[in-house]
Amino acid sequence: MISDALRRARAVYDNLPLPAGSAVGVVLVLVLDRARRAPMPGSRALQRTAGGVCIAAGFALNVWALVERRRRSTGTFQLEQPESLVSTGPYAFSRHPMYVGWWLIHLGVGVMRGTLWVAATLPVAVLVEHVGGVVAEERELQARFGEEYSRYAERVPRYAGRPRPQALLRD
C-alpha cells in the first residue's frame, strides 16, 4: 500500500516541470534574505507589485506550456517523453518556455521580497539549468526528432524572442 502510494507520488513528481536550480534558488533567496538582509532600493509597494507580476507571468507561462504539451499527447502524458515535437503556443516563441517560466517565478520571489540576493541566485540557477538540463534535452530532442527539430531550433530562439522569419520561409 505504501509502495503503491510512493509509486503514484513519483509518477506525479516526474510530470512536474520543477527544475532543481530554480527550486533551490528560490529557497536560497528566502534563506539568505532571512539570514542577512540585502534590500533592494526603491518602493516596497512597487517591488511587491513587480514581483507579483513576474510570479504570475511565470506561472501562466508554465501552465500554458503544460496545457499545450498535454494537448499534443494522445496517451498517458509523460513530460519527459514527448510523442511529438510541440512548436505551437509558447513553444512558438521559446524552445524552453517552462524554464523561462520558472526563472520568472524565481525573479518574482526575489523582487517581491525586495532582496538583492536574487541577483546572485538567479544567474546560478539559469547556468545550472542550461548546462544540466537544456543542453541535454536539446540533444535528446535532436536524436528523437532529427531534421524536424533542426528546423525548429533554427526558427525558434532557445529561451525567448520572436521566431526568425527567414527560417519560416524555408519550411
Side-chain angles (χ1 to χ4, degrees):
M1 183 167 176
I2 291 175
S3 65
D4 194 38
L6 288 174
R7 192 170 41 256
R8 282 195 309 268
R10 177 66 186 194
V12 168
Y13 176 77
D14 286 343
N15 272 320
L16 286 177
L18 180 58
S22 285
V24 170
V26 167
V27 170
L28 274 175
V29 162
L30 298 173
V31 169
L32 290 169
D33 188 54
R34 192 171 222 31
R36 184 177 176 122
R37 283 287 291 145
M40 285 181 173
S43 159
R44 287 294 294 132
L46 183 59
Q47 292 166 0
R48 287 185 183 110
T49 301
V53 167
C54 286
I55 291 169
F59 181 77
L61 185 56
N62 276 325
V63 168
W64 186 22
L66 277 172
V67 167
E68 194 67 19
R69 283 283 305 280
R70 195 173 294 268
R71 194 168 70 83
R72 301 287 181 183
S73 297
T74 57
T76 303
F77 176 67
Q78 295 291 323
L79 185 63
E80 298 299 324
Q81 300 295 320
E83 296 173 21
S84 63
L85 184 64
V86 178
S87 59
T88 56
Y91 294 94
F93 306 99
S94 170
R95 296 193 312 259
H96 302 281
M98 287 188 248
Y99 283 109
V100 174
W102 276 106
W103 297 335
L104 283 169
I105 291 168
H106 185 156
L107 176 64
V109 167
V111 171
M112 182 179 268
R113 181 83 182 143
T115 180
L116 289 172
W117 283 112
V118 73
T121 60
L122 183 59
V124 172
V126 170
L127 181 63
V128 164
E129 289 162 359
H130 173 78
V131 172
V134 170
V135 173
E137 283 178 20
E138 289 189 345
R139 274 194 300 265
E140 290 172 23
L141 291 167
Q142 181 66 52
R144 183 178 290 224
F145 299 111
E147 185 58 33
E148 180 185 11
Y149 183 77
S150 294
R151 285 191 312 272
Y152 172 67
E154 191 176 301
R155 181 177 73 244
V156 176
R158 179 176 273 157
Y159 295 118
R162 292 182 359 190
R164 293 175 200 74
Q166 67 277 12
L168 289 172
L169 295 174
R170 284 186 289 224
D171 286 348

